Amino acid sequence: MKPSLKSWLIAATMPLAMMAGAAHADNTLRVVMHSDLKIVDPIWTTAYMSRNYGYMVYDTLFAMDEKLNIKPQMVESYTISDDELTYTFKLRGGLRFHDGAEVTSEDVIASLQRWGKKDSMGQKLMEFTAGMTANSANSFTLKLTKPFGLTLMALAKPSSNVPFIMPKRVAETSADEQISDYIGSGPFIFNAAAWKPGDTVVFDKNKAYQPRGGAPSWAAGGKKVMVDRVEWISMPDQQTAVNALIAGEIDYIESPPTDLLVLLEEEKDSISVVNLNPLGLQYMFRLNHLHPPFDNVKVRRAALAAINQEDFLKAAIGNPKYYKPCAAMFMCGTPLATDKGADIVMKTDIPLAKKLLKEGGYDGTKIVLMHSTDVDSLSRLAPVAAQALRKAGFNVDMQSMDWQTLVSRRSKKEIPAEGGWNVFMTAWVAADILNPIMAAGFGAGCDKAWFGWPCDAKMEGLRNEFIAAKPADQPAVAEKIQVRAMEVVTHAHAGQWYRPSAWRKDRLAGVLEGPVPFFWNITKK
Amino acid sequence: MFGFVIRRIISTIPVMGMVALLVFLMLRLTPGDPAAILAGDNGTPQQIEEIREALGLNEPIHKQFVIYIYDIVRGDLGESYFFKKQVTELIAQRVGATVSLAVVTLIITILVSIPLGVIAAYRRGSWVDQIVMGFSVMGFSIPVFVLGYLLIYVFSIELRWFPVQGYKPLSAGLWPHLHRLILPSITLSVIYIALIARMTRASVLDVLGEDYVRTAYAKGLKNSVVLMRHALRNAAVPIVTVIGIGIALLIGGVVVTETVYNIPGLGRLTVDAVLGRDYPTVQALILVFAFVYVVVNLLIDLSYTFLDPRIRY
């Protein structure tokens, strides 16, 4: 076979190509995450990038494994009193911060107190907490005022805000102030000197880290670091990231956009495209309960009858390999999954929607639907919602904006004509919505509820019932909560979907599954 | 001329003041709340309110402006809301990449566009002229990001001559530095070459009809000497003016080019800061860009005295 012009050109310029690839002859994992790391305090913000950073630098008392079991992580052993009011924890030996200091109970208590001021589940736990006392350097007691069935779940909370353990001096920083000391006890050390904001975040292997025994499973198990360094390289342009992976300049992309997956899937010999988070994510259809017409439950139910999950998923994701219609608000494949009460979002029923609109006395009030245009996974949702709502007879004003504007506007309680809103759509990772306390959408405490501000005493009562329930009783209460959520329409779940990651399979091995990208266990050739 | 320079420097003060006021107002009028962005996607209304309070965003707008101007006068451009670093430190980290990109782009532009423009003028109406003018129209028409992706596909993905993305500072070595700047600089220079080649052609054509050019030919001078010493020198003032005006084009192009080639320069910092509503960073960057623009134009004005001795200030 005659060599092609291209092959001659490549051969002739091999030195250039070799120089381009020379930087990769080390044991550094080069990764493009879904966004840039901006805030290096995973308690101060709920941003996922800060949470991901937290998993690199800090450790947790407990962690969730792939079967959603709660496993001790920094804790060696623990006891729960018969009245379920006293939890005593013993830390495992050999836990040290990056500066060499031992991790003590005092550090743990200060860290939990700071987390408890910010995180919604932490706040709930602290409401039930009488006090925390250090029994010794490696043992402490948590005393509750009444049983809180989610204590261990809260301490193993996998997503924002995760109760990461920091040195006491750091954890004593006000929860409203960002920390400026980046010492943790996790498997990686944040290299602050090498951090170039908006460009590269560098983590060095913590050589003193003593992993637990056993295989890694999600955030639980042995976190053995097999590379010397991990670099998170910020690439705002996803096409550039995909090109860089194909050219071998980076090793891993956390979540390439769905429309570019086909380019990566074509490189079968060198690139793996795999969904690492088996529970995936869920779309949320959120209504504002403060203003007409969605202050009327019949009109809210009409909106649910107008939409259906599959339309959203087809438009937003497209490839059925990466989505699944799922009636369970707590995600299919989880202990609290149930279909009850959720038929209404699984199929469009325009006659029912029209009937409910009539019963609700809808007068054609214009509804403002916020459309996020710059986040690939969200940008195609609002047009589908607009079309479905119009078919049912709603007067829809779809307003396009960037995601950051939407995030700002959704916090406004003003009427839509004065900068407020009626509907928006977003997405949650499964790890954030595994139960009705974690999942912000179920809160119905009026002003204290998440954006949309549902107000329903019965729902709040059910959530309190869930908190007090023993683990075996929780599924039954969760089912009642799902039914209630659909009745009063706190929100709607608009489909379960998956966001695959892509990496150089000719270089990397041991990439782990998880609700968060984990970088221990990965070896690089 | 000294008086002129002093007057021009003084005149930059109200210009910079207007820029500061406009940027401040435009940012506050743009939808989006930095506190909501800082709180994260799961942030609660209470968390957002706390952050607003901490950042001083709940203060009346006139009070915020007074604080902002007071800080600028003291030489304090503020601290990034996100990175908790001084904006000057962020700019210092990024300025090297942008300056390198701009310098290499300008060198490529001047080396290519001026000869093209002169040749097109000299061969007016010929196929050379038509090709140069065709290239010029194409250069204006192709968006920077499209050209960037095309070059990446051909030279980085297919031929593997250059890296797809990234930046190495000069301290990493001259070749690694240039190796990563060649494609971005070509991408950025095309529109600039188109503009300046066209301007050069028009200016040179103007002077080619002048009596002193005819006289030069009559003296028996060679074409190259007539073109370079007599025609181009006299055509230089409008060309240099366009190069100066083109700095604005360059700044706009840098934003796109740095994003496509993942170069951590001021352009990308600007985009990130705008999207994140990082007010102090955006305000500082726009002031820096405005200052550069004013200084470049002052230098261009001063250069006229060297290019055309008849010009006096």
Side-chain angles (χ1 to χ4, degrees):
Chain A
M1 196 172 73
K2 256 177 91 174
S4 64
L5 176 63
K6 184 181 148 186
S7 58
W8 277 113
L9 281 168
I10 290 174
T13 56
M14 193 58 84
L16 269 178
M18 284 169 72
M19 290 181 79
H24 296 284
D26 57 2
N27 198 20
T28 298
L29 192 59
R30 290 183 176 82
V31 175
V32 172
M33 302 294 281
H34 71 272
S35 175
D36 177 40
L37 175 72
K38 292 189 167 66
I39 299 161
V40 280
D41 185 344
I43 304 300
W44 190 82
T45 178
T46 62
Y48 286 155
M49 280 304 293
S50 302
R51 174 205 62 186
N52 298 347
Y53 158 85
Y55 272 109
M56 302 291 277
V57 175
Y58 303 104
D59 219 340
T60 54
L61 294 176
F62 289 86
M64 193 177 274
D65 73 5
E66 64 193 27
K67 292 182 179 153
L68 309 185
N69 295 320
I70 308 302
K71 297 282 186 186
Q73 184 54 234
M74 296 172 84
V75 164
E76 184 177 289
S77 60
Y78 65 99
T79 58
I80 306 172
S81 65
D82 292 342
D83 60 4
E84 295 180 25
L85 293 179
T86 307
Y87 288 68
T88 306
F89 304 96
K90 187 180 172 204
L91 300 175
R92 66 187 168 92
L95 297 176
R96 292 198 173 273
F97 287 112
H98 300 151
D99 57 2
E102 194 183 341
V103 179
T104 67
S105 306
E106 299 280 351
D107 300 311
V108 173
I109 290 170
S111 299
L112 293 181
Q113 282 169 338
R114 185 166 189 261
W115 164 75
K117 285 179 187 144
K118 287 299 247 190
D119 179 65
S120 55
M121 252 182 119
Q123 287 167 349
K124 274 278 176 211
L125 176 61
M126 293 304 147
E127 276 175 32
F128 285 71
T129 297
M132 287 185 276
T133 46
N135 308 319
S136 66
N138 67 345
S139 165
F140 71 100
T141 298
L142 169 70
K143 275 194 186 299
L144 302 177
T145 50
K146 47 189 173 176
F148 183 73
L150 299 171
T151 304
L152 296 184
M153 169 62 98
L155 298 178
K157 192 168 181 269
S159 193
S160 298
N161 301 92
V162 179
F164 292 118
I165 303 304
M166 302 174 172
K168 186 181 175 201
R169 65 172 189 281
V170 181
E172 281 174 346
T173 308
S174 160
D176 298 329
E177 207 178 296
Q178 287 184 46
I179 58 172
S180 54
D181 180 340
Y182 312 122
I183 297 289
S185 67
F188 292 94
I189 298 171
F190 174 56
N191 189 334
W195 180 34
K196 292 182 197 152
D199 179 23
T200 317
V201 187
V202 177
F203 301 95
D204 296 318
K205 177 181 180 172
N206 176 10
K207 289 178 181 154
Y209 183 74
Q210 293 193 16
R212 283 191 82 86
S217 174
W218 281 26
K223 299 176 179 175
K224 289 183 187 151
V225 176
M226 318 295 266
V227 291
D228 296 331
R229 180 176 263 217
V230 176
E231 289 179 4
W232 290 355
I233 301 164
S234 174
M235 280 193 209
D237 188 283
Q238 290 293 322
Q239 179 68 59
T240 303
V242 166
N243 288 338
L245 187 68
I246 291 171
E249 293 172 24
I250 56 170
D251 303 309
Y252 181 110
I253 304 179
E254 183 196 351
S255 52
T258 47
D259 55 341
L260 296 180
L261 286 176
V262 64
L263 294 176
L264 296 168
E265 285 168 343
E266 279 173 7
E267 306 286 325
K268 283 182 195 139
D269 296 335
S270 55
I271 292 174
S272 287
V273 181
V274 177
N275 172 38
L276 294 172
N277 181 2
L279 294 180
L281 301 96
Q282 186 185 77
Y283 284 130
M284 178 201 240
F285 178 80
R286 184 72 166 182
L287 305 170
N288 189 342
H289 291 228
L290 291 183
H291 306 298
F294 294 127
D295 56 345
N296 182 325
V297 68
K298 294 258 185 196
V299 181
R300 294 201 296 272
R301 289 278 293 173
L304 290 202
I307 61 170
N308 81 79
Q309 289 193 354
E310 188 131 21
D311 286 350
F312 289 120
L313 293 168
K314 272 185 184 163
I317 309 299
N319 186 344
K321 195 162 87 176
Y322 299 123
Y323 72 74
K324 176 163 78 177
C326 166
M329 295 185 96
F330 303 108
M331 310 293 286
C332 288
T334 66
L336 302 185
T338 173
D339 291 354
K340 203 155 179 192
D343 287 350
I344 194 165
V345 292
M346 302 308 287
K347 59 179 193 308
T348 298
D349 189 342
I350 294 297
L352 175 64
K354 286 183 184 291
K355 179 171 165 269
L356 287 165
L357 276 185
K358 200 172 172 190
E359 286 173 12
Y362 176 63
D363 58 358
T365 304
K366 191 188 280 181
I367 58 167
V368 171
L369 166 64
M370 294 196 288
H371 172 211
S372 155
T373 53
D374 59 335
V375 178
D376 172 67
S377 56
L378 301 177
S379 60
R380 293 176 288 278
L381 295 173
V384 174
Q387 179 73 0
L389 292 169
R390 283 179 187 132
K391 267 190 190 168
F394 282 97
N395 178 8
V396 181
D397 175 16
M398 186 174 79
Q399 296 185 7
S400 299
M401 59 196 78
D402 70 324
W403 174 246
Q404 307 297 11
T405 301
L406 190 154
V407 165
S408 307
R409 189 166 169 185
R410 72 182 180 185
S411 67
K412 293 193 183 301
K413 290 183 175 174
E414 288 87 350
I415 59 169
E418 290 173 9
W421 57 277
N422 293 111
V423 192
F424 76 93
M425 296 196 69
T426 186
W428 297 85
V429 293
D432 278 324
I433 53 172
L434 293 173
N435 70 50
I437 307 304
M438 253 185 210
F442 292 91
C446 312
D447 272 357
K448 288 185 179 168
W450 200 65
F451 314 103
W453 306 280
C455 202
D456 184 50
K458 188 175 172 189
M459 173 62 92
E460 286 300 282
L462 285 168
R463 291 176 79 225
N464 286 332
E465 191 182 329
F466 184 87
I467 289 169
K470 291 184 187 306
D473 300 329
Q474 286 173 352
V477 186
E479 186 169 280
K480 285 194 259 179
I481 289 174
Q482 174 164 312
V483 170
R484 186 65 186 166
M486 289 285 96
E487 280 171 5
V488 297
V489 197
T490 52
H491 63 292
H493 45 319
Q496 192 161 329
W497 55 286
Y498 307 95
R499 196 160 51 186
S501 300
W503 63 88
R504 298 289 307 195
K505 69 178 177 189
D506 51 355
R507 285 193 205 143
L508 305 187
V511 179
L512 291 171
E513 279 194 350
V516 172
F518 300 126
F519 295 101
W520 45 87
N521 202 54
I522 298 178
T523 53
K524 183 173 176 184
K525 283 179 212 166
Chain B
M1 191 166 80
F2 182 72
F4 170 76
V5 173
I6 296 294
R7 279 198 307 278
R8 283 293 298 267
I9 289 171
I10 292 171
S11 73
T12 60
I13 295 170
V15 171
M16 299 306 289
M18 279 306 292
V19 170
L21 175 65
L22 286 175
V23 174
F24 180 87
L25 289 178
M26 278 163 66
L27 280 173
R28 266 58 181 188
L29 295 174
T30 305
D33 178 359
I37 298 162
L38 282 162
D41 286 357
N42 305 351
T44 61
Q46 291 84 352
Q47 286 171 336
I48 294 171
E49 199 48 42
E50 284 163 12
I51 295 170
R52 285 187 66 80
E53 195 63 43
L55 294 179
L57 293 168
N58 282 339
E59 299 287 353
I61 199 160
H62 64 272
K63 195 170 170 189
Q64 290 182 44
F65 183 69
V66 169
I67 294 168
Y68 165 58
I69 293 296
Y70 176 69
D71 286 344
I72 290 180
V73 171
R74 288 188 308 135
D76 178 4
L77 291 179
E79 186 183 79
S80 161
Y81 288 163
F82 288 94
F83 303 120
K84 302 309 283 177
K85 284 177 184 276
Q86 286 295 312
V87 175
T88 42
E89 189 185 336
L90 291 176
I91 291 175
Q93 276 184 352
R94 307 293 196 101
V95 72
T98 300
V99 168
S100 295
L101 179 61
V103 167
V104 177
T105 300
L106 275 175
I107 291 170
I108 293 175
T109 301
I110 291 167
L111 288 181
V112 175
S113 62
I114 292 178
L116 280 183
V118 172
I119 293 168
Y122 180 64
R123 302 268 185 200
R124 183 185 182 186
S126 72
W127 61 270
V128 177
D129 183 23
Q130 284 172 9
I131 286 176
V132 171
M133 288 304 99
F135 167 81
S136 176
V137 171
M138 199 176 71
F140 279 129
S141 313
I142 298 182
V144 173
F145 72 94
V146 172
L147 183 63
Y149 287 136
L150 280 174
L151 293 178
I152 287 172
Y153 179 73
V154 175
F155 295 105
S156 302
I157 305 273
E158 288 298 316
L159 297 174
R160 310 234 162 179
W161 288 2
F162 299 100
V164 170
Q165 52 81 40
Y167 169 74
K168 290 258 187 229
L170 196 53
S171 56
L174 182 62
W175 175 241
H177 178 67
L178 289 177
H179 195 198
R180 282 174 165 73
L181 280 177
I182 291 172
L183 281 191
S185 300
I186 291 173
T187 306
L188 188 52
S189 63
V190 164
I191 188 166
Y192 217 32
I193 290 171
L195 177 73
I196 294 171
R198 216 174 167 80
M199 193 66 218
T200 306
R201 177 184 178 272
S203 301
V204 172
L205 273 179
D206 264 357
V207 297
L208 282 178
E210 296 286 337
D211 290 344
Y212 57 83
V213 171
R214 204 171 303 121
T215 308
Y217 277 122
K219 283 195 316 191
L221 291 176
K222 285 196 288 187
N223 277 339
S224 57
V225 175
V226 175
L227 281 173
M228 300 307 290
R229 196 177 297 165
H230 295 276
L232 184 58
R233 178 132 194 230
N234 283 292
V237 169
I239 296 169
V240 170
T241 306
V242 171
I243 291 174
I245 292 167
I247 292 291
L249 207 62
L250 195 64
I251 291 170
V254 155
V255 172
V256 180
T257 311
E258 288 182 353
T259 302
V260 170
Y261 288 96
N262 197 38
I263 295 170
L266 296 178
R268 253 187 62 198
L269 183 63
T270 309
V271 174
D272 292 347
V274 169
L275 291 177
R277 311 292 191 272
D278 191 351
Y279 295 166
T281 308
V282 179
Q283 286 163 179
L285 283 165
I286 301 298
L287 278 182
V288 167
F289 286 139
F291 184 70
V292 168
Y293 194 71
V294 167
V295 168
V296 166
N297 278 286
L298 174 60
L299 294 176
I300 297 285
D301 284 354
L302 293 178
S303 73
Y304 294 162
T305 58
F306 301 103
L307 296 169
D308 187 346
R310 290 169 300 180
I311 298 175
R312 288 277 179 274
Y313 294 115

